[in-house]
Amino acid sequence: MRGDKPLRVGENKVFGVWRHGDARFHTLAFQAATAYSSPLTVWIAADTDHHTQFLDRLRRSLTLYVLAAITLCGLLSWFAARQGLAPLRDMKSRAARVTGQKLGERMPVQAVPVEMADLAQELNRMLDRLQEDFQRLTDFASDLAHELRTPISNLLTQTQVALATKRDAATYRDILASNAEEFQRLARMVSDMLLLAKTARGVDLPHKERFSARLDGLALLDFYEAVAEEKHIRLRLEGDGEIEGDRLMFRRAVSNLLSNALRHAPEAGDVTIRIAATAQATTVAVENTGADIDAKILPRLFDRFYRADASRTHLDTDGSGLGLAITRAIAEAHGGRVTVTSSNGRTCFALVFPHRAIQA
């Protein structure tokens, strides 16, 4: 051991490591003073193999424990994540069952955690909107087929009858004139449906301008004056206001309401256009006297191809049932709305056009 780590001047203790064969010793060298001789240099060596073996066993044990803990934590984390995502899997399976023929599936709001409740509610609202739109589209397709069937059947019948036997030129002209009327009805229906499709997609208004609702209302009253005189109906216009939007579409919406009011107003009745302007919007109301509309029918008046003539004893109309639907679409295209009230012998349709909804 001597000479392994000799003491230097000023040092009292020196620690070191000494190897002897396969053995490994931790050493301590120091000087000790004696009373009977010169100072002695003392070396102490301690065998640390059992400490090393203990540390090696501890290291292996810790490694095994750490690996076991990692594995266990991974399994527990997987299980917790799987259980936590179970509501999402349920929502996925329910969403997979939604088809065009089965739109009644809804997300389990009460069975999901609070963190997912908002998502489930929003998905349910989305499914409600989809179901409503899908049902409306289905009804529209059915009504459209029914409406197109009548003029096409008339055209086919008249043409087959005309071709069955030889006729004179005057008869052929009458048949062609009747067919032309049916074609005009089909053309109006197709044009109305195209307008509804454009407004439903949120197409921007073709021509935006600021104009006087009173001036356009007076022009429409002049146009319908002959029809009103025939039924001895009094036409009036009250108020004034400005509209921001498309003038032609505005005229068409008010024209539809005036035509509807004149059709259902009784002899010697009244039809009034009232215009009221505020800082937020301009309201154009068309009011007519006559029989009240059943409250159960009011919510459906603006549905496509819906007619309430049977409840109002006026069956002499050749309309397609799209007029009020077009009126609502025009109002919504302007960022507004249309409402209807009917009581005490007066029916009032009101168009609301916001001032700030449309700006160039």
Side-chain angles (χ1 to χ4, degrees), residues 1-6 43:
M1 294 173 57
R2 298 182 61 178
D4 183 36
K5 279 197 175 186
W43 285 270

Side-chain angles (χ1 to χ4, degrees), residues 114-344:
V114 179
E115 295 79 3
M116 298 182 185
D118 291 340
L119 173 62
Q121 290 177 353
E122 192 60 36
L123 288 175
N124 288 339
R125 285 191 287 267
M126 179 193 70
L127 290 174
D128 291 338
R129 292 192 298 270
L130 289 177
Q131 185 175 14
E132 182 180 354
D133 293 340
F134 190 85
Q135 185 62 40
R136 187 182 298 111
L137 181 61
T138 302
D139 295 340
F140 175 72
S142 177
D143 294 338
L144 178 61
H146 176 74
E147 292 294 330
L148 291 177
R149 181 177 58 185
T150 300
I152 292 176
S153 297
N154 293 338
L155 290 170
L156 181 61
T157 301
Q158 290 180 2
T159 303
Q160 289 175 341
V161 171
L163 294 175
T165 58
K166 187 176 181 180
R167 303 175 187 277
D168 55 20
T171 303
Y172 284 124
R173 281 196 297 271
D174 292 339
I175 294 174
L176 290 176
S178 177
N179 288 348
E181 292 179 359
E182 293 295 337
F183 282 125
Q184 288 177 355
R185 181 183 176 188
L186 285 173
R188 288 196 304 270
M189 188 180 302
V190 172
S191 177
D192 292 343
M193 289 186 296
L194 287 176
L195 176 61
L196 288 173
K198 290 180 180 179
T199 54
R201 293 197 305 267
V203 176
D204 199 8
L205 298 176
H207 304 288
K208 297 178 183 179
E209 58 181 314
R210 184 186 295 270
F211 55 89
S212 172
R214 182 178 181 84
L215 294 179
D216 285 88
L218 289 173
L220 289 173
L221 290 183
D222 291 339
F223 179 79
Y224 284 102
E225 185 176 0
V227 179
E229 289 180 353
E230 183 180 350
K231 297 180 64 175
H232 307 287
I233 295 176
R234 293 179 295 274
L235 296 177
R236 293 181 298 177
L237 188 145
E238 301 174 359
D240 193 4
E242 289 188 338
I243 303 294
E244 297 175 357
D246 188 278
R247 184 190 295 268
L248 293 179
M249 293 181 71
F250 169 77
R251 284 197 173 191
R252 181 165 189 180
V254 179
S255 177
N256 289 340
L257 296 181
L258 276 175
S259 175
N260 190 63
L262 290 171
R263 183 181 303 118
H264 297 292
E267 292 283 343
D270 293 328
V271 174
T272 305
I273 299 179
R274 291 190 175 89
I275 304 173
T278 63
Q280 291 76 27
T282 298
T283 302
V284 179
V286 178
E287 182 182 270
N288 68 276
T289 58
D292 295 342
I293 304 177
D294 189 351
K296 297 179 180 179
I297 296 177
L298 290 178
R300 297 197 57 194
L301 287 180
F302 299 99
D303 292 346
R304 298 170 182 176
F305 299 113
Y306 181 78
R307 298 186 183 92
D309 292 328
S311 65
R312 305 186 75 183
T313 65
H314 288 275
L315 303 175
D316 56 345
T317 176
D318 59 351
S320 61
L322 292 174
L324 292 179
I326 291 175
T327 300
R328 180 177 64 179
I330 291 174
E332 292 176 351
H334 285 76
R337 66 185 187 278
V338 59
T339 60
V340 57
T341 58
S342 183
S343 62
N344 301 323

Side-chain angles (χ1 to χ4, degrees), residues 44-85:
I44 301 176
D47 187 357
T48 59
D49 283 344
H50 63 287
H51 296 292
T52 304
Q53 294 174 1
F54 171 77
L55 290 176
D56 291 340
R57 289 194 301 269
L58 179 61
R59 188 179 297 110
R60 288 193 296 270
S61 299
L62 288 177
T63 302
L64 292 177
Y65 290 148
V66 169
L67 292 177
I70 292 174
T71 304
L72 180 61
C73 290
L75 293 175
L76 291 177
S77 300
W78 173 83
F79 180 76
R82 181 176 177 81
Q83 291 299 112
L85 295 177

Side-chain angles (χ1 to χ4, degrees), residues 62-112:
L62 288 177
T63 302
L64 292 177
Y65 290 148
V66 169
L67 292 177
I70 292 174
T71 304
L72 180 61
C73 290
L75 293 175
L76 291 177
S77 300
W78 173 83
F79 180 76
R82 181 176 177 81
Q83 291 299 112
L85 295 177
L88 285 180
R89 291 197 302 273
D90 188 18
M91 295 167 66
K92 174 188 173 182
S93 63
R94 289 174 181 266
R97 292 196 294 267
V98 175
T99 61
Q101 293 74 31
K102 189 177 181 181
L103 292 171
E105 287 289 339
R106 293 296 180 269
M107 300 299 111
V109 179
Q110 303 299 330
V112 299

